[in-house]
């Protein structure tokens, strides 16, 4: 089974940017969709962005216009570019596929001044 490793999180000030990466241990070319999820403190895990194999995208209303998801099938990597970050974007971020694979360790994003 493909394993996923997220990276790129960190501490950033409000209004700042981060780029998350999700490296897969195998090919993602045939995976129908890849998504980024997050879990804020005290809340459940939610889907924030998704990209299909054909490049169609979905964004949660809370991140629309600020986040951008992309995939590089040649590198078996999915990215999440996060701009204009807000404190409410704080949380642990994971990537996963459709259908779901085993969850990775995630990467922590903290937006704070």
């Amino acid at each position: 089974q493909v394993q996923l490793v997220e990276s790129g999180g960190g501490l950033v000030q409000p209004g700042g940017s981060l780029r998350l990466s999700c490296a897969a241990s195998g090919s993602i070319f045939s995976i129908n969709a890849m998504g980024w999820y997050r879990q804020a403190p005290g809340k459940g895990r939610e889907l924030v962005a998704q990209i299909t194999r054909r490049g169609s995208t979905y964004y949660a209303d809370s991140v629309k216009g600020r986040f951008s998801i992309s995939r590089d099938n040649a590198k078996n990597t999915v990215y999440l570019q996060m701009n204009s970050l807000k404190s409410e974007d704080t949380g642990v971020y994971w990537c996963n596929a459709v259908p779901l694979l085993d969850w990775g360790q995630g990467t922590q994003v903290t937006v704070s001044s």
Side-chain angles (χ1 to χ4, degrees):
Q1 187 183 31
V2 173
Q3 296 187 340
L4 305 168
V5 179
E6 301 88 352
S7 62
L11 173 63
V12 63
Q13 292 186 343
S17 298
L18 283 174
R19 187 194 195 202
L20 305 184
S21 297
C22 170
S25 62
S27 175
I28 64 169
F29 178 78
S30 61
I31 294 178
N32 287 331
M34 296 290 298
W36 281 95
Y37 299 76
R38 73 182 177 193
Q39 185 169 23
K43 296 187 177 181
R45 187 179 285 165
E46 62 171 341
L47 176 68
V48 296
Q50 190 175 73
I51 184 167
T52 69
R53 187 170 55 182
R54 295 185 177 183
S56 298
T57 56
Y58 157 85
Y59 297 97
D61 287 342
S62 59
V63 307
K64 204 170 290 184
R66 300 186 298 120
F67 288 12
S68 178
I69 188 171
S70 60
R71 62 192 285 173
D72 186 334
N73 291 332
K75 294 183 178 179
N76 296 320
T77 302
V78 181
Y79 303 97
L80 185 68
Q81 178 67 43
M82 306 187 296
N83 299 326
S84 302
L85 283 162
K86 305 176 181 180
S87 57
E88 51 262 46
D89 295 318
T90 294
V92 181
Y93 285 69
W94 296 267
C95 68
N96 214 314
V98 177
L100 289 176
L101 302 171
D102 289 341
W103 293 96
Q105 84 287 353
T107 186
Q108 175 70 45
V109 172
T110 303
V111 184
S112 175
S113 55

